[in-house]
Amino acid sequence: MTIPTYLPYYVLVTSLAIIVTVLFGLRNALTNSGWPEHDRAVAFRWSAAVLIGWFLLALALGLGGAFRAAPDRIPTAQYGIFIPILVGAWLIWRSPGVGRIIDVVPQPWIIAVQLFRALGAIFLILYATDKMPGLFAWPAGVGDVIVGLLAPIVALAYASDARRNEGLVKAWNVFGILDLVVAVTTGFITAPSPLFTYQPPNELISVFPLVLIPVYFVPLAVLLHLASLAKLHRRLAPMATASA
């Protein structure tokens, strides 16, 4: 297996850009929240620590080969994917502190930041150069590009008329999550494993640097979708109570 020389630069530079963008948007939202300065500082520091610490852990595990797939080895990437999603989902729906942060972040920004999903076009590039099987590259790459390019469009639509475009936001979030489910499923099917024997195997997806996508950016994208849906639910709940 030969890793293209440009791939580490592509993944690491885009990773840095995505993390900086998320933290920049969060900082702006907290600045405009009206919270006391101490509360804003604490919320931002904890959020930055979690986001950056999680990335560094994923990076260290990826470099150490913790998620590397092999024909004689039970897959381990599922732990890097599902543990952050389960913990993050619990915090989104149950933690008052996380709920407060979600409340102050504008819905259009939560949606628009997923423009980064369009970077999934890298899967199509790798397929075109015979580095990745089509069973994974086509659905994962095309799906990510569609979700990413639609993100700013859906965000602008919601910003212009929130009530009218609530259904659009729900549909985009559901589509985005389903796209990730398909990508993870085809990733497991095509990766080397004693459970599946797909040929040629999708070796790149389980090694550094590409492994950062399933074990960091897939959970991050899922949690952004869940945060968007949770925020929408909180907005609609009082209306439903009032109408009842």
Side-chain angles (χ1 to χ4, degrees):
M1 176 185 58
T2 303
I3 299 174
T5 55
Y6 65 85
L7 201 54
Y9 300 100
Y10 178 89
V11 173
L12 292 176
V13 170
T14 55
S15 298
L16 179 61
I18 293 166
I19 292 170
V20 169
T21 301
V22 171
L23 291 177
F24 177 78
L26 176 60
R27 189 177 187 88
N28 279 349
L30 290 169
T31 299
N32 298 324
S33 67
W35 290 10
E37 183 177 351
H38 176 266
D39 290 357
R40 296 200 307 266
V42 169
F44 181 77
R45 287 170 189 164
W46 273 104
S47 299
V50 169
L51 197 64
I52 296 171
W54 174 21
F55 176 77
L56 293 177
L57 177 60
L59 179 62
L61 292 173
L63 284 168
F67 303 113
R68 189 184 186 99
D72 59 348
R73 181 180 178 183
I74 296 296
T76 54
Q78 65 271 19
Y79 302 115
I81 296 171
F82 296 115
I83 291 176
I85 291 174
L86 292 173
V87 173
W90 187 88
L91 291 172
I92 286 170
W93 291 100
R94 296 296 183 183
S95 168
V98 173
R100 284 188 72 206
I101 293 173
I102 292 173
D103 286 342
V104 301
V105 179
Q107 177 75 274
W109 185 87
I110 298 176
I111 299 168
V113 74
Q114 290 222 53
L115 176 62
F116 76 76
R117 294 275 289 281
L119 295 169
I122 189 64
F123 298 138
L124 300 175
I125 295 171
L126 291 169
Y127 168 75
T129 54
D130 295 323
K131 299 291 185 182
M132 188 162 278
L135 179 63
F136 169 77
W138 275 108
V142 173
D144 272 353
V145 169
I146 293 173
V147 173
L149 294 181
L150 284 177
I153 297 172
V154 174
L156 287 172
Y158 186 85
S160 64
D161 191 338
R163 183 181 293 273
R164 183 176 180 182
N165 290 296
E166 289 163 355
L168 178 63
V169 171
K170 287 181 182 178
W172 175 82
N173 277 303
V174 171
F175 178 73
I177 293 172
L178 289 176
D179 166 59
L180 295 171
V181 170
V182 170
V184 168
T185 301
T186 55
F188 274 112
I189 291 173
T190 57
S193 139
L195 306 175
F196 303 102
T197 56
Y198 188 86
Q199 295 296 329
N202 187 5
E203 297 179 289
L204 281 180
I205 199 62
S206 68
V207 298
F208 177 83
L210 216 58
V211 72
L212 290 175
I213 294 178
V215 302
Y216 186 75
F217 290 105
V218 165
L220 178 61
V222 171
L223 294 176
L224 286 169
H225 282 303
L226 294 180
S228 174
L229 290 170
K231 188 175 181 69
L232 195 64
H233 174 76
R234 288 177 183 140
R235 179 180 180 276
L236 295 176
M239 299 180 186
T241 302
S243 62

